[in-house]
């Protein structure tokens, strides 16, 4: 399922855009009046690869959602340990929808409250520098991104600045050897600028960094120097399962060195993702990609509102895909 929002002066114009871009099968998930601007309509289309179909089709202008949808989503958000403000905001936007399916309702609410900006598969606008606390999954994420690029035959440059810690280089060089990529190591900010010059031709440049303690001023100063040494995009890597307030403060510390995107990891090792939502909200970060397994070959999952909703509500996601599977033979027969 793919969700897209449309802004227009009138509802008729918004609906025309929906049909034009997403086709006749588009389902309206949410409509919202934007004061003084017009209307915003969020619509969904099914995509072949992700057969998430609402058990009951959603229709524009239908009845308000049954209390069970709100209750179901509220229970899920509480389970994830979301703070009251954030869960109240998400539930309020669900209250405005005519969704019949909790998964779709949560997708639309996430779409309204958060930004999503997965890393491109092709050329990066800037070299991407993965930053975050120790053990967040930065090096594994570099390995996953490098593998994805290598499989697409996309020329990639790998730079590591994590030279002080024993064993850190071996971890990454094991991956670069396997993929026959050259690993450049740099010790300081000026050397990073030179290394980036060397890698100018690469479509994607990935920079691994040493873990930093967000509460240690010297650690963060050092990282800021690296991030500002050249025109790079620092991307914050955070694992699931953090306390929401710690995650929020951590995200704010890294935002101050220029982070705008959040790559989330270890989603398979936790059942509580409130920390990740709190981090994105507190530092106004866009979700980019998620690591759902420790295996390099499994890669990263680009995050969209729907993908995140599935992660937050795995039972509902399974139920939706089971329903879609059960319906498929009937659909092909007609
Ligand atoms: N299960 C699981 N393990 C992960 C994931 N991401 C990272 N890890 C593991 O967490 C540990 C730390 O990861 P690493 O990339 O070295 O973290 P870094 O210190 O941020 O570079 C390693 O054992 C990784 O295999 C994930 O998404 N799922
Ligand atoms: Mg590392």
């Amino acid at each position: 399922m793919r969700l897209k929002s449309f802004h227009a002066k009138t509802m008729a114009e918004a609906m025309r855009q929906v049909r034009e871009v997403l086709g006749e099968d588009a389902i309206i998930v949410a409509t919202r009046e934007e004061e003084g601007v017009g209307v915003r309509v969020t619509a969904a289309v099914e995509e072949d690869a992700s057969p998430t179909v609402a058990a009951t089709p959603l229709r524009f202008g239908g009845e308000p959602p049954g209390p069970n949808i709100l209750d179901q989503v509220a229970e899920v958000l509480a389970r994830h340990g979301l703070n009251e403000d954030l869960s109240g905001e998400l539930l309020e936007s669900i209250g405005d929808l005519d969704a019949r399916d909790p998964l779709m309702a949560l997708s639309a609410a996430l779409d309204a409250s958060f930004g999503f900006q997965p890393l491109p598969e092709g050329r990066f606008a800037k070299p991407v520098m993965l930053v975050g606390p120790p053990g967040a999954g930065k090096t594994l994420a570099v390995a996953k991104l490098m593998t994805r690029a290598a499989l697409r035959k996309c020329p990639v440059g790998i730079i590591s600045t994590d030279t002080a810690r024993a064993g850190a280089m071996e971890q990454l060089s094991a991956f670069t050897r396997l993929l026959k990529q050259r690993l450049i190591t740099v010790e300081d900010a000026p050397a990073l600028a030179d290394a980036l010059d060397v890698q100018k031709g690469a479509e994607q440049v990935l920079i691994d960094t040493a873990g930093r303690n967000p509460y240690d001023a010297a650690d963060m100063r050092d990282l800021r120097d690296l991030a500002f040494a050249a025109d790079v995009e620092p991307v914050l890597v955070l694992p699931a399962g953090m306390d929401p307030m710690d995650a929020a403060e951590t995200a704010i510390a890294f935002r101050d060195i220029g982070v705008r995107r959040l790559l989330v990891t270890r989603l398979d090792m936790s059942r509580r993702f409130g920390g990740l939502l709190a981090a994105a909200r507190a530092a106004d970060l866009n979700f980019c990609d998620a690591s759902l397994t420790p295996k390099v070959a499994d890669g990263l999952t680009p995050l969209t509102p729907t993908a995140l909703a599935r992660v937050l509500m795995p039972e509902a996601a399974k139920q939706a895909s089971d329903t879609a599977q059960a319906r498929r033979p009937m659909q092909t027969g007609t």
Side-chain angles (χ1 to χ4, degrees):
M1 181 174 64
R2 179 158 68 103
L3 279 179
K4 193 165 169 52
S5 296
F6 297 84
H7 303 261
K9 287 228 163 53
T10 64
M11 185 57 72
E13 169 57 16
M15 296 305 288
R16 196 191 57 71
Q17 285 180 23
V18 170
R19 299 287 171 244
E20 190 176 302
V21 176
L22 298 181
E24 291 301 322
D25 292 338
I27 295 161
I28 304 305
V29 181
T31 60
R32 187 187 295 263
E33 298 222 353
E34 294 180 321
E35 223 165 293
V37 186
V39 294
R40 169 190 154 123
V41 172
T42 302
V45 278
E46 254 188 83
E47 285 177 324
D48 290 341
S50 63
T52 333
V53 121
T56 311
L58 304 163
R59 290 286 170 239
F60 170 59
E63 289 167 23
N68 59 330
I69 293 241
L70 268 183
D71 288 351
Q72 284 175 53
V73 178
E75 196 220 298
V76 166
L77 298 182
R79 219 181 324 133
H80 284 291
L82 251 71
N83 70 33
E84 263 177 40
D85 281 359
L86 190 45
S87 103
E89 177 186 318
L90 293 170
L91 292 172
E92 197 176 310
S93 59
I94 289 173
D96 293 345
L97 306 185
D98 57 356
R100 298 286 181 280
D101 170 331
L103 194 64
M104 215 176 240
L106 181 58
S107 305
L110 291 169
D111 186 35
S113 288
F114 292 94
F116 294 83
Q117 202 184 11
L119 291 169
E121 291 208 354
R123 181 175 286 280
F124 287 173
K126 292 178 182 189
V128 164
M129 173 185 273
L130 296 185
V131 300
K138 300 177 292 299
T139 303
L140 186 69
V142 167
K144 287 183 169 190
L145 289 165
M146 172 181 20
T147 306
R148 180 169 84 178
L151 286 174
R152 293 183 62 254
K153 304 212 178 340
C154 168
V156 62
I158 309 295
I159 300 174
S160 179
T161 63
D162 189 5
T163 50
R165 194 168 53 88
M169 284 329 299
E170 285 70 31
Q171 195 189 359
L172 194 55
S173 61
F175 294 125
T176 49
R177 264 200 310 277
L178 207 64
L179 292 169
K180 301 194 171 42
Q181 300 288 334
R182 186 154 70 114
L183 172 63
I184 300 184
T185 62
V186 304
E187 302 268 342
D188 52 26
L192 176 60
D194 291 343
L196 288 169
D197 243 16
V198 171
Q199 298 284 22
K200 244 187 204 141
E203 283 192 20
Q204 296 188 355
V205 177
L206 297 162
I207 307 162
D208 195 15
T209 61
R212 312 287 163 146
N213 176 354
Y215 302 122
D216 182 319
D219 240 18
M220 294 307 285
R221 237 188 346 261
D222 189 51
L223 183 61
R224 170 188 285 267
D225 286 349
L226 270 182
F228 290 177
D231 196 16
V232 304
E233 180 186 348
V235 170
L236 177 59
V237 180
L238 278 188
M242 287 177 81
D243 167 77
M245 283 170 79
D246 257 338
E249 286 180 25
T250 301
I252 288 169
F254 283 96
R255 180 198 57 196
D256 292 345
I257 62 131
V259 161
R260 292 286 169 271
R261 283 196 249 212
L262 177 62
L263 192 155
V264 297
T265 63
R266 298 193 187 224
L267 298 191
D268 56 321
M269 284 182 62
S270 175
R271 290 290 175 269
R272 266 158 282 278
F273 304 150
L276 299 176
L277 296 180
R281 162 48 51 99
D284 199 16
L285 305 181
N286 294 318
F287 284 106
C288 59
D289 297 78
S291 174
L292 306 172
T293 84
K295 289 195 207 138
V296 175
D298 289 337
L300 298 174
T301 302
L303 280 180
T304 59
T306 311
L308 185 57
R310 284 166 168 271
V311 162
L312 292 168
M313 297 184 89
E315 305 87 0
K318 181 167 183 326
Q319 203 179 352
S321 79
D322 287 351
T323 309
Q325 296 253 326
R327 288 166 144 217
R328 205 165 284 152
M330 279 166 45
Q331 283 176 349
T332 48
T334 53

